[in-house]
Structures are given as C-alpha cells and as structure tokens.
Amino acid sequence: MAEHLASIFGTEKDRVNCPFYFKIGACRHGDRCSRLHNRPTISPTILLSNMYQRPDMITPGVDPQGQPIDPRKIQEHFEDFYEDIYEELSKFGEIESLNVCDNLADHMIGNVYAQFREEDQAAAALQALQGRFYSGRPIIADFSPVTDFREATCRQYEENNCNRGGYCNFMHVKVIGRDLRRKLFGSYRKYRGHRSRSRSGSPRPRRDRDRDLHRDRDDNRDRNGRRPDRTDRDAGGRRKNGSPKRSHSRSRSRSPPPAREGSEERRARIEQWNREREEKP
C-alpha cells in the first residue's frame, strides 16, 4: 500500500495531494483546493508571486491608455526587469535557473521562479526579501516545491501550439534575448568551469574552444615545433628511436555535478512529513 501511494504521489491519481501545486508550485484553487498543498520548509527554488507586471497586462499589446505598444518595447521592459532580479538574487549564490511566467491566470501571472544551486543560498535570499518592495509593490516570496522545470513548463507553448493560451495551468516561460543570456549566465560558467542546468544557459564561448584546440595542436608537436612523421614509426606503432607511441588526445577530467533529488525522493520525504504531522498530538 505504501509503495502504491508513493508511486501516485503528485499525479492525477493522487486524491490527497494537489498535483498542480506539486508540479508548478501554484494552484488555481488556492487555499480552497480540496487537496493538500505540501509547502516545503526548505528548497533550492523560491517563488516570487505575481512580481512581474507587464505593461500590457490589461489588454495584450495595448497600454492602459488604449494605445498600441511596440513588441520591442515590451521585450525591453521585460529584460530590464529580468536583469534587475538576477543581479539582486545572485548576491546570495549561483542561480541555476530564473524563469518568469507569461501566463494570464491570477495564480500564475508574473510569477518568478529562482532556482539556486544550494538550498542554503535560497534560504538566505528568501530571508533577505522579507518585507521588501519592488516598483512600489510588496514582494511575496516563499519556497517552491518545483525543482524540475521540464515537468512544470508547457511543451505545447514551446512549440507555439498551446490551445489554452495564457490561461494554461502549466508555465509559459518568457524568453530573454541571446545577448542578455550570455551576459548573465555566461559569467558563472566562465568562473566555475561547469555547465549550468538552467533553461536560460548559454553555450561555451567560442574563443575558449579555439584556445583549447590550438593547445591540443601544440601538444602534438615535438620540441623543435615539428609534427611527428608517421614514417618514423615501425610496424608496432613505436618510433624508430624506441620511444612509445604518444596519445595526442588530452583527457579532461571533470567532476560530476552533485545529484539532484528526484521526484520519488521528494515524494517519500513529503509523505514522511505528513506521517510525522499526523503522529503529533
């Protein structure tokens, strides 16, 4: 029985826990939901509810005065906001993912999800944001159960064919420009020397790849700057002077990234929290 409950935790078959809150950290029913919202006490992800206020919030493409807005101005407004949030949150640690919802439903509009590399970094950011304001509005920050944004985002929206539009119950993540993506997420990759798992990550800079390529070519040359001649080798693959065959490929050892807690582990931990809460007098 316990294995069955753990296997359906956070799914549509689970009649106790809310699957939408488990996947996207928000539910359209709010506190009136008939299922439980298991709010985490610690998480690498924090949610800033309804924080982004787009200039065409009342009517898409039109400002409050009824005048049409250039789409480039809307994107510029969003990227200014995105950069402000990133620079402020990055003071507390490395940001692996920063996603802003483009949904229109009340429980998701303007939601900002910031996923840090470590849980203590997220906790420090959450504590620092308590009681603060942005653009004259209070910041509502909480821990979020979302750690895998692949399960939270709308795949149809990414393919430009979501039939539900802005009122879809899965995340419609706004996309930032390539230049801003390189500016923000390229800094950590250059300093830390590892690939970020963020959706907004950027590829490795070309100049770094070219530098490693030239370095590999230099390693294939002898002390006089010449490449070894293949005719100087015998049938056994050894050079005529008796030196063993050298491998021209350089091995780059990288330490594997720390394993992220999976869905099954999170479900088991939340189930344990529920049991402990029921056992308390």
Side-chain angles (χ1 to χ4, degrees):
M1 184 65 180
E3 294 180 357
H4 173 70
L5 293 177
S7 64
I8 66 174
F9 183 85
T11 65
E12 291 294 337
K13 297 180 180 180
D14 189 351
R15 298 301 177 184
V16 178
N17 302 284
C18 178
F20 281 102
Y21 183 81
F22 178 75
K23 290 181 179 179
I24 65 176
C27 173
R28 62 189 179 96
H29 299 292
D31 296 334
R32 296 179 287 105
C33 182
S34 60
R35 305 183 190 183
L36 295 178
H37 292 177
N38 295 288
R39 303 181 185 276
T41 57
I42 189 67
S43 172
T45 307
I46 62 175
L47 167 63
L48 311 178
S49 301
N50 310 125
M51 186 172 184
Y52 176 61
Q53 302 288 307
R54 52 186 297 168
D56 57 343
M57 180 174 298
I58 300 177
T59 304
V62 179
D63 63 11
Q65 288 74 32
Q67 300 297 325
I69 306 177
D70 188 345
R72 292 174 296 181
K73 294 293 184 181
I74 298 177
Q75 182 67 18
E76 182 180 353
H77 178 273
F78 166 66
E79 292 190 357
D80 289 342
F81 166 84
Y82 192 98
E83 188 173 4
D84 286 345
I85 299 302
Y86 181 92
E87 291 179 351
E88 180 64 25
L89 295 181
S90 61
K91 299 176 182 178
F92 306 99
E94 179 177 353
I95 299 176
E96 287 197 340
S97 179
L98 182 61
N99 296 321
V100 180
C101 289
D102 199 24
N103 303 67
L104 298 178
D106 293 339
H107 66 293
M108 295 187 66
I109 185 170
N111 283 0
V112 179
Y113 295 81
Q115 183 179 13
F116 290 85
R117 185 168 183 80
E118 303 295 340
E119 292 179 343
D120 57 348
Q121 298 171 349
L126 180 63
Q127 183 178 3
L129 292 174
Q130 299 299 325
R132 295 185 59 180
F133 290 76
Y134 183 85
S135 187
R137 301 173 62 250
I139 298 176
I140 304 174
D142 293 291
F143 284 120
S144 173
V146 181
T147 56
D148 188 355
F149 287 94
R150 293 173 298 180
E151 298 181 0
T153 55
C154 177
R155 295 181 178 86
Q156 286 77 16
Y157 175 77
E158 295 177 347
E159 298 173 357
N160 295 322
N161 60 358
C162 180
N163 296 326
R164 298 188 177 184
Y167 292 93
C168 178
N169 284 324
F170 288 91
M171 294 184 190
H172 288 187
V173 179
K174 291 184 67 66
V175 180
I176 59 174
R178 181 180 302 177
D179 294 338
L180 181 60
R181 184 167 60 245
R182 289 178 178 175
K183 176 183 177 181
L184 300 181
F185 291 93
S187 58
Y188 270 120
R189 197 157 302 139
K190 182 177 180 181
Y191 178 76
R192 299 284 184 178
H194 74 276
R195 287 188 67 88
S196 172
R197 287 169 290 183
S198 168
R199 289 172 49 87
S200 302
S202 59
R204 188 182 179 194
R206 182 175 180 180
R207 60 179 181 274
D208 294 342
R209 299 197 303 267
D210 294 342
R211 182 172 61 249
D212 291 342
L213 178 61
H214 290 305
R215 189 182 302 162
D216 291 341
R217 291 175 178 174
D218 293 339
D219 289 343
N220 293 337
R221 300 179 185 273
D222 57 17
R223 66 180 60 184
N224 295 324
R226 297 177 300 177
R227 296 182 182 273
D229 191 359
R230 295 181 179 179
T231 59
D232 293 339
R233 305 176 184 273
D234 57 17
R238 300 175 60 87
R239 296 179 183 175
K240 292 183 180 181
N241 57 8
S243 60
K245 181 179 179 180
R246 291 182 57 187
S247 173
H248 298 324
S249 62
R250 300 184 63 192
S251 62
R252 300 180 178 86
S253 61
R254 291 186 178 179
S255 58
R260 179 67 65 186
E261 188 181 41
S263 299
E264 296 182 0
E265 289 80 357
R266 294 201 311 273
R267 292 171 181 171
R269 184 172 62 175
I270 294 176
E271 184 179 357
Q272 181 180 358
W273 291 342
N274 292 336
R275 289 198 301 267
E276 292 177 356
R277 184 171 56 183
E278 294 176 357
E279 293 174 358
K280 290 181 179 180

